[in-house]
Amino acid sequence: MTDNGLKSRLASVLPKGHDFTILHISTPPTKTDPLYSPPPNERPERTYCENHFLAVSIDADGKQVLVLGVEVFIYTTARSTTLFVSKADSTGYLTLLNLPKGTPSPIREICATFVGFLVEKRKRKDIQFIVNLFARAQDQYLFPGSVDNKGKHVLDDRGLIKWWCRVLDPLLGPAPKSVESPWESSKGYIVVPGLEPNEIRAMTPRRTDAAWEFTHPLERISHYYREFDWVPPRCLIPHFPDDPKSRFRDELDEEAASSQAMKTQGSWKSVKTLDMFWEMMAYRQECSSGRMTGFIWLVFDDKEPEPAANESFPSTNPPSTPKARRITQITPTTTPRKLFPSKKQPDTKPKKKKQKKKLTGPIIPRKPQIKRAKHNYLLDRPANTAYYSWTPEGRGEKIVDEATYKRIVDLLLHLDFATLNKAVGSTRRWLSEGGGGGNWGFVVSGERETPTQTAHDRENGVNNLTGLVKRKRTDSTVDESQNKVNVLGEGLVKKKPKEESKVVNVLSTGLIRKKPKE
């Protein structure tokens, strides 16, 4: 396999002396439903989705066993690119490597490297890029039975939100050297329904700059908000698969489906603003009763965000005559196709039917064409269009269609990873069916130095007392200390203790002391 940059990046962050097998599956950009609902009387935005699944396995006594799985969806339109981290789960068998204490978590390093790799390879000039995910603790997402493995460390809700913030925080720093031009602006946003900003601040890494904001960027990332005088809140909330806020949005749509406000303005009955939407989210089952769900965004722009067109109108009440600004210069010059074709009246003239041409002469049979090589027709599509960028550097090792991709990923949900033997058998079956019976994946040898406890202690001059037991004092030692006599030096005289002075209570004039009762 030719290195597209992912192999070398993973090698630089994985521990030295250990081998990891990387399995990367992806699909071509496929037309899908739009993320955002359009305002009334507007056509939906053309959207493409590219699926990525990264699996990591290690060697356990000569047999492969899966340790990590990450699923990512990349939604692209003519105006933005959205990377949504759908699922990430581990089996807990990474403990078989017996990494020394203090080694950075390979799972966190792999997730951060993979997301950063896709951000760089799917970047488009002057197109906004968004990284989005929601953090909600679960015992198992991708590997059934893995919760029974004692080596698996399951984080709680607060710990998982902190973990994802640490994973994504390096992306807000300066751009990598391989990127031609860094982002003009990059910002992180986080919302935890039911918590105050001061409580959320403790979950984000400490930085000298104001890289994190404790609110949502839904107005900033929506082109409807910039192009229209007023936009209903439902048009600003994206619709991701298995997303808590998407489920709440669907329920509000069903509630107001037959209302006049929904038909004319696209408004809900009970929720009128985005602030009210997030307040109501705090009372949802997934965000209440001791549970927390964190919604995290990273927004990258090649230019500073433009001021919105609807700042003069309150978000609760729509203007009496909502007027949309004219959309110009949307379609890039790389394609002659217009994003919004003009609506013209169809020609009323009847078209003449073509007359069939009569075939004459002898019939010459064609020679059969023998198929000598397997051709992947999924690659027969343009790499760059006005709606997506599908450069070869960001593709997976194995490119499949959407139906095959779902079959490969869903197969994991029907396997068992409760014990090591079951996990090895499940890994063997998944690799066989996912690879079509052939060998696939590439091996990455870690290059990152692991900390050595003894060397670290020697450098700092610390004596390691591990394994030593402090002895108790024997009885003879105690007796000797008790029998010791303090000898005074010459010229020193031991003073006698003062006698306690007798205290006499003197009664004041006119007071008579009563006799005690017999």
Side-chain angles (χ1 to χ4, degrees):
M1 173 189 173
T2 58
D3 185 14
N4 57 0
L6 181 61
K7 183 176 181 180
S8 57
R9 292 187 185 202
L10 291 175
S12 62
V13 298
L14 292 176
K16 190 175 183 178
H18 299 280
D19 294 338
F20 298 81
T21 302
I22 309 299
L23 309 127
H24 185 191
I25 312 171
S26 70
T27 65
T30 308
K31 194 174 181 181
T32 185
D33 296 332
L35 282 180
Y36 300 92
S37 298
N41 302 324
E42 292 293 327
R43 63 173 58 196
E45 193 172 20
R46 179 178 292 186
T47 307
Y48 288 82
C49 180
E50 181 184 356
N51 303 332
H52 288 262
F53 186 80
L54 184 78
V56 182
S57 66
I58 61 173
D59 184 81
D61 297 332
K63 299 178 182 179
Q64 291 293 315
V65 59
L66 289 172
V67 296
L68 174 65
V70 183
E71 187 176 25
V72 173
F73 300 147
I74 301 178
Y75 297 91
T76 56
T77 65
R79 300 178 181 86
S80 66
T81 301
T82 303
L83 187 150
F84 177 69
V85 182
S86 176
K87 295 182 181 69
D89 194 12
S90 64
T91 60
Y93 294 107
L94 196 64
T95 55
L96 298 174
L97 297 180
N98 295 323
L99 298 175
K101 190 175 182 180
T103 304
S105 171
I107 293 178
R108 187 174 70 184
E109 298 295 337
I110 292 173
C111 291
T113 303
F114 184 54
V115 173
F117 167 78
L118 293 178
V119 169
E120 179 182 335
K121 299 303 179 182
R122 290 295 175 256
K123 175 185 177 181
R124 293 183 290 168
K125 187 178 180 181
D126 297 333
I127 300 295
Q128 190 180 61
F129 201 107
I130 303 114
V131 178
N132 188 208
L133 62 88
F134 70 93
R136 182 186 58 195
Q138 290 282 358
D139 294 336
Q140 52 197 21
Y141 269 110
L142 293 169
F143 303 106
S146 59
V147 67
D148 298 330
N149 177 21
K150 296 181 180 180
K152 183 172 182 177
H153 179 54
V154 181
L155 296 174
D156 58 358
D157 294 324
R158 185 180 294 270
L160 185 63
I161 296 172
K162 288 182 178 180
W163 188 86
W164 272 114
C165 288
R166 290 197 300 268
V167 168
L168 300 178
D169 185 70
L171 299 179
L172 297 176
K177 296 180 180 179
S178 57
V179 179
E180 296 179 359
S181 59
W183 301 101
E184 185 69 23
S185 65
S186 59
K187 205 77 173 177
Y189 300 85
I190 178 172
V191 171
V192 182
L195 294 187
E196 297 295 330
N198 293 334
E199 298 175 292
I200 304 175
R201 190 187 304 273
M203 301 182 183
T204 58
R206 294 184 178 180
R207 295 176 63 105
T208 55
D209 55 348
W212 288 91
E213 291 188 8
F214 310 104
T215 182
H216 61 83
L218 296 180
E219 292 97 345
R220 177 181 174 183
I221 63 180
S222 173
H223 69 92
Y224 294 128
Y225 191 81
R226 296 189 297 268
E227 295 165 1
F228 290 86
D229 295 334
W230 179 83
V231 181
R234 66 181 298 271
C235 300
L236 304 177
I237 300 171
H239 194 279
F240 294 115
D242 192 25
D243 186 31
K245 63 180 182 295
S246 300
R247 282 191 286 270
F248 186 33
R249 195 195 80 162
D250 292 340
E251 292 181 10
L252 294 174
D253 287 347
E254 293 178 3
E255 177 190 3
S258 59
S259 64
Q260 189 66 22
M262 174 64 81
K263 295 178 181 179
T264 57
Q265 299 175 354
S267 300
W268 291 320
K269 280 185 176 181
S270 55
V271 178
K272 301 297 183 182
T273 63
L274 280 178
D275 293 338
M276 191 181 299
F277 176 85
W278 289 110
E279 289 177 6
M280 296 291 292
M281 277 291 297
Y283 298 98
R284 301 277 295 174
Q285 182 180 1
E286 296 162 310
C287 305
S288 61
S289 302
R291 300 297 307 273
M292 284 189 297
T293 302
F295 299 90
I296 305 173
W297 297 265
L298 301 184
V299 182
F300 303 95
D301 278 306
D302 277 337
K303 53 186 178 181
E304 292 295 334
E306 299 177 358
N310 53 6
E311 291 180 350
S312 58
F313 295 98
S315 58
T316 306
N317 301 321
S320 57
T321 56
K323 183 180 179 181
R325 293 195 302 173
R326 188 175 181 180
I327 304 173
T328 57
Q329 297 180 356
I330 293 178
T331 307
T333 57
T334 56
T335 173
R337 185 174 183 178
K338 292 184 178 180
L339 185 62
F340 297 112
S342 58
K343 297 179 181 179
K344 295 181 179 179
Q345 294 293 335
D347 296 334
T348 56
K349 297 180 181 179
K351 295 182 179 180
K352 295 181 180 180
K353 294 183 179 180
K354 294 183 179 180
Q355 295 181 355
K356 293 183 178 180
K357 187 178 181 180
K358 293 183 180 181
L359 301 177
T360 58
I363 299 175
I364 303 175
R366 294 180 180 177
K367 294 182 179 181
Q369 295 181 357
I370 301 175
K371 192 173 183 180
R372 302 182 183 276
K374 188 177 180 180
H375 182 71
N376 190 354
Y377 293 96
L378 295 174
L379 304 178
D380 295 343
R381 62 185 65 201
N384 292 287
T385 67
Y387 304 97
Y388 63 83
S389 172
W390 193 50
T391 55
E393 293 80 9
R395 301 175 187 175
E397 175 201 1
K398 191 176 182 61
I399 302 175
V400 296
D401 57 5
E402 192 171 359
T404 306
Y405 173 86
K406 289 182 178 179
R407 180 181 60 81
I408 294 174
V409 176
D410 290 345
L411 177 61
L412 284 175
L413 305 179
H414 297 85
L415 301 177
D416 192 358
F417 294 85
T419 63
L420 181 58
N421 291 332
K422 292 180 179 179
V424 169
S426 299
T427 301
R428 187 190 310 113
R429 180 184 172 186
W430 187 79
L431 292 176
S432 176
E433 296 191 16
N439 295 328
W440 61 300
F442 57 93
V443 179
V444 175
S445 299
E447 300 175 355
R448 188 172 187 173
E449 295 290 342
T450 56
T452 306
Q453 191 72 19
T454 55
H456 179 70
D457 293 343
R458 288 172 185 172
E459 291 176 2
N460 296 335
V462 179
N463 293 327
N464 190 356
L465 301 179
T466 306
L468 299 181
V469 181
K470 186 178 180 181
R471 293 183 178 180
K472 293 183 179 180
R473 292 185 298 178
T474 59
D475 296 338
S476 59
T477 308
V478 176
D479 294 338
E480 290 177 3
S481 62
Q482 290 178 353
N483 296 332
K484 283 184 179 180
V485 179
N486 294 329
V487 181
L488 298 176
E490 296 179 359
L492 297 179
V493 180
K494 186 176 181 181
K495 292 183 178 181
K496 293 182 179 180
K498 295 181 179 180
E499 296 181 358
E500 295 181 359
S501 58
K502 297 181 180 180
V503 180
V504 180
N505 295 327
V506 181
L507 299 176
S508 58
T509 309
L511 297 179
I512 302 173
R513 186 175 184 179
K514 292 183 179 181
K515 294 182 179 181
K517 294 181 180 181
E518 294 180 355

